[in-house]
Every structure is written in C-alpha cells, then in structure tokens.
Amino acid sequence: MAALVNYGGGDDLCPLFSGSSRFLSLGRNVDVYCPPRKRARVIAPLGFSFSFRGREEVAAEKQQPRSIDTLPDECLFEILRRLPGEKERSSCACVSKRWLMLLTSIRSSELVARTKTTDESVKKPMPDLSKGVCAEEKECENNGYLTRRLDAEEATDLRLASIAFGSCSRGGLGRLFIRGSSSTRVTDVGLSAIAHGCPSLRVLSLWKVPLITDAGLSEIADGCPLLEKIDLCQCPQISDKGLIAVAQKCPNLTSLTIESCSSIRNEGLQAIGRCCPNLKSVTVKDCMHVGDQGIASLVSSASSSLQRIKLQTLNISDIVLAAIGHYGKNVIDLALIGLQKVNEKGFWVMGNTLGLQRLRSIAITSCSGLTDLGLQAIAKGSPSLKQLFICKSDYLSDAGLGAFAETARALENLHLEDCNRVTLAGVSSLLKCNPELKSLALVRCLGIKDVTLCPTQIPSCVSLRSLTIHDCPGVTDASLQAVGKICPQLQNVDLSGQVGVTDASLIPLIGNSKAGFVEVNLSGCVNVTDALVAMLVKSHGGTLKVFNLDGCKQITDRSLLAIADGCSELDNLDLSSCSISDYGVAVLATARHLNLRILSLASCSKVTQKSLPFLGNMGSSMVGLNLQHCSLISTYGIGLLEEKLWWCDILS
C-alpha cells in the first residue's frame, strides 16, 4: 500500500495483489486506448470493509443478536431430545410453536438419558423421602384417564400437539374424539404428535377429517399399541394400508367402525379379522368397495370373539348372511340395514345353519329380501332371541309374524315400523304365543286398524309393560279401549301422533292399569282435554315421572293445577304449544312437593314476562328449560333468568 501511495510516475508499479495483470506501467503523459472490460470481482479479507459499505449497515450487522432459531430443525431436534426431564421439556414447549412441534415429534425411544459425571457417581445420593409417592404417581401418570374432544375449527395440528405434550404428565390421554368438517386442517403431523406423546391412547374417533392419510394412521398404530376402539368416518384418504397397520400393531382392538371411507376395500378387513383376536364389535357402513370377500373373511376369522355386527348400505350378497349364520356362534347383536342385494335365500340360509344360538337382538331395515319364510327361519335358528326390530319391509305379513311367534318364545321386545301388510290379527297371534312380551311398538303401520272382534277374543297380555302406537291412523277409540282391558300391567304408554285419540278411548287404559303409569306421551293428540289429565293424575300421580303433552291445544291451566297437586315424582314435563298462561306457570313454581328437572314451554303464546320471576324460583333441581318461540318474553328477560338459573340449560 505504501508503494501505491508514494508512486511518482515511474515505470514500475507494485500491484495490490501479487500476480495481477490489471495494473500497467504508464508514462506521465501517455495516451493509451483501453477497451472496456468486465469489472474484476474483489474478495475482501475478514475485518476489511470497503468505503462503499455504509457505516450504518455495518453497525446494524454488528448489533444483530445471534438466535438459536437460526439453527435448522435437525440441530434443534438433537438439542431438545437431550433435555434431562419433563420439567425442562415443558418449559421449552412454551417457547414457540416450532419448538412445541419439534418436541412432539420426538419418540420416547429417541430421548437421550442424562448420564452422570464421574464426580457425581462417586457422591452418595441423598435419601428420597417421597420415593413411595413418586413411584405411585409415575405408575398412574400415563394410564389414559383423560378424554379430549375437538370440534370443527378447534381441530388443528397445533392443538393436537399441545394435547399430546400436556396430557402425558396428567394421567395420560385415553380417548380422543375429532369431529371435523370439510374445512378441518388436521393432517398427519397432528396425528403423529398424538402417536409419539400418548402411548396410553385406547379410543380414537376420526369424523370427517379429509387430510388424514394412511401415514397418520400408521403412526398411531406404531405409537399406541394399547388401542382398543377406532372409528373412521368420512376419511377418504385412509385405505387398506392404514387398516393393515392397525391390525398388525394393535392386537387389543375390540371395536372397529368404518363409515363412508371410499378407499377401504376387502384387504384391510381381512387383516383385521386375522390379527385381532379380541375383536367384539364391527360396524361397516356406506363403503362402496367393501364386498362379500372382506366381510365374510372378517366374520369367519373373528368368529371366536365377535359379538356385534352392523352392516349398512353395502354391496354384499347372500354369501355374507350365510357366513354370519355359520360362523356367528358368539354374535348377540345383529343389524342389517339397506342391503338391497340380499335375497330371501340369504335370510333362509342364515337361519337354517343354526349358528346364531346366542343371538339376542336383530334389526332389519330396508332389506327387500326379508319375507315370511326368512323371518320364520331366523326364529328357528335363534332360540335366545329377545328383541326384534323390523322397518320398511314390504313383504312381511301376518302369516310370517304368526310363524315367527310360534317359534320365538323368548321374545320380549317387538318393534314394527312401516310394515303395512301386518294387521291387528298378526299382532294378536304374537300376543297369544309370547307370554314374555314386555314391549310392543307399532309405528306408521297402515294395516293396523280398529278391531271388529269382541275384546274377549283378543288374547290377554299380562306381561306387557310398554306400548307405543305412533302415527297409525287406523287405530282409534275401539282398539285402545280393547288394549286397556287386555294389558293391565302397562307402565309406559306412547300414543304420539294419534289424532283420533279422545278422552273416552284412554279411560280404560287409565282405569285398568294396576302397575301405575311411569311415562306417558300424548304429543299430537289434539282431542285430549283437561278432564283426562285430571283423571290420569288422580290415578297415577304417585308414579308418573315423564309426561308429554306437546301440541295438545285443549290443555289449559286447569291441568297444571291438577299436576301441581297430585304429581310427587314428576321430573320431566312438556307443555309445548299448549294453551297455558302465566297463572299456570306460577302454580307449577309454587308447588312445594314438585321437583321438576326438565320443563318445556316452547311456543306457548300466552306465557309472558310475568312468568320469569316464578321460573327463577323453580329450585336447584331444574336443569333444562325450553322457552323457544315464546314471543312475549324478551331477550333481556331471558338474560336475567340465565343469570339467576346459571346452572340450568335454557333454550330460547
């Protein structure tokens, strides 16, 4: 540099950099033409700053603090997995989202235990006075006592990571329910965090989480070997690969539910049947690619443990029903819904293979293959059957019901819905042959009409405790009067939607009941009056617990006077759309022996603001109050009532 400064115009020039050919020796007054050249790149040594860099920029660079966040994830991962204990990891999890996600990505097997130095190993350890307590706490700290539910927008990967990290020291996560939507952003990252931090997970329910794939489910299978129950609903990216991983890694699986998972086929169900010896319950619904091979293989492989089967809207045939009838020796509950490809032959074979000896309950809905012959075969092959539910059967008639009744002597509950070929004659034959029948429900059975026979010709049913006749327009006064005479032990009566019911038709029911009514549902019976309510309360007020008068427009404050005086056990009262006023509400509120838990006054147009002080004094027993569509009650009044009854769920 000194040579360059002291240059006086001589022929020799000492270059700045040795070996450079950029500097030429020139005379003092020589004109030389130099063609344009690309500017040479000069690399400055450390600590050397050129004059073209501003002083402010250099100062800012010197003042910029060094941060650990500049480390890549791989380096930070190695640091975090070497933390000595839970307390340190919890503190680091609070630093940032990035640190939290990295901590939850660390498996327990990847944690590096802190090694003691030589000096520390020589020292004699201090006695731990709380050793026994700590041992007990460590023993139960991860037993899976906690339950977490995430709905819609609450379900995110970050939230799952927080749950995974926070639950491990508070009893352990045992059940996780994610109820998402089409916009739910939960991915495999969040599910992996649960898998790494929650080895105690036993129940997992994924509902409408479109971004979860087989990779996330495989992580759960690897990290949660204690998994017992898994529900998958509307998970389009989960396929057989994920199910196979669960089957291989979760041998304790007892319950499997698959609904609307379009990528699942037969191979996954076959693996579940082979590898899960404790499987007890299976539900498969709306899976278009699941067929005979998958269901039949599952049933045959898990025959020693399988107890509950539900199949709905599947492309399966008679082969599956034959497999259930042959291998279902331990099945106690069977539901077949919307199986359009199953014919009469399938039901016949299922019953005649005599394999369903322990079946106690069967539900058949919208299966066009169910006929009189098939129902008779089911009764023959299921001697322990106690509950029968049949809905939307176009070919079932009185003949099939009678043949079924002659064989199924242990039947206790019968529910017939939308079975229009069944008449009162078939029901009578059932009552005659089944002395143990306790519950009978007839819903929208248009073939059920008033009897023309004398009540003495209808068999008595002393065992019947519950009767439901719902939306059967053919049932009017004559039939109900006959029922009242032949069923003296009724306790639960549901006549909702029976427009033709009058006070006269219900008098025999009320008068002949010896056991005492417990639940009465007269919703939609528009011809019922205060006189019937007064008679009912007088006869059964000491046992009545649930009373529904929704839509009975002829019910007034007189009925509430009777209820307030005579009902000592009532805890659920529905007066929606009745003609009651503030006076009736005041009467209910001031009844000392009445401890209502649920009260509905929805659409009661005569109830006004004046009722609010009385409702506020209903007592601590009130947990549910319905004031919807009460137009004369203001929002402000509802707010005041909510402040006073803060423990009560108020609908407005």
Side-chain angles (χ1 to χ4, degrees), residues 32-146:
V32 180
Y33 171 73
C34 296
R37 294 188 180 186
K38 184 177 181 181
R39 183 177 180 180
R41 181 179 181 182
V42 180
I43 302 177
L46 294 176
F48 183 82
S49 60
F50 291 98
S51 60
F52 57 78
R53 294 188 64 187
R55 295 181 179 178
E56 296 180 358
E57 182 178 351
V58 175
E61 184 175 300
K62 291 182 178 179
Q63 293 177 0
Q64 184 177 1
R66 298 181 180 274
S67 173
I68 196 173
D69 287 336
T70 60
L71 290 176
D73 288 349
E74 292 79 7
C75 295
L76 193 56
F77 178 90
E78 291 297 328
I79 295 173
L80 294 177
R81 79 187 187 97
R82 285 171 168 78
L83 293 174
E86 288 293 336
K87 183 178 180 180
E88 291 78 8
R89 283 191 286 270
S90 298
S91 299
C92 290
C94 300
V95 172
S96 66
K97 296 179 181 179
R98 180 193 177 202
W99 285 37
L100 173 62
M101 298 304 293
L102 281 174
L103 280 167
T104 54
S105 67
I106 303 174
R107 300 176 184 272
S108 57
S109 59
E110 295 173 336
L111 294 174
V112 178
R114 181 175 56 177
T115 57
K116 297 183 179 180
T117 62
T118 306
D119 294 338
E120 290 177 342
S121 61
V122 174
K123 294 179 181 180
K124 184 177 180 181
M126 295 294 292
D128 188 359
L129 300 179
S130 60
K131 184 176 180 180
V133 177
C134 293
E136 292 180 1
E137 290 180 353
K138 290 182 178 179
E139 182 180 355
C140 64
E141 71 175 357
N142 210 18
N143 286 337
Y145 295 123
L146 300 181

Side-chain angles (χ1 to χ4, degrees), residues 2 4 131 268 347 362 485 547 622 642:
L4 182 61
K131 184 176 180 180
F347 288 101
I362 184 170
K485 294 180 180 179
F547 198 10
M622 181 70 68
E642 288 176 342

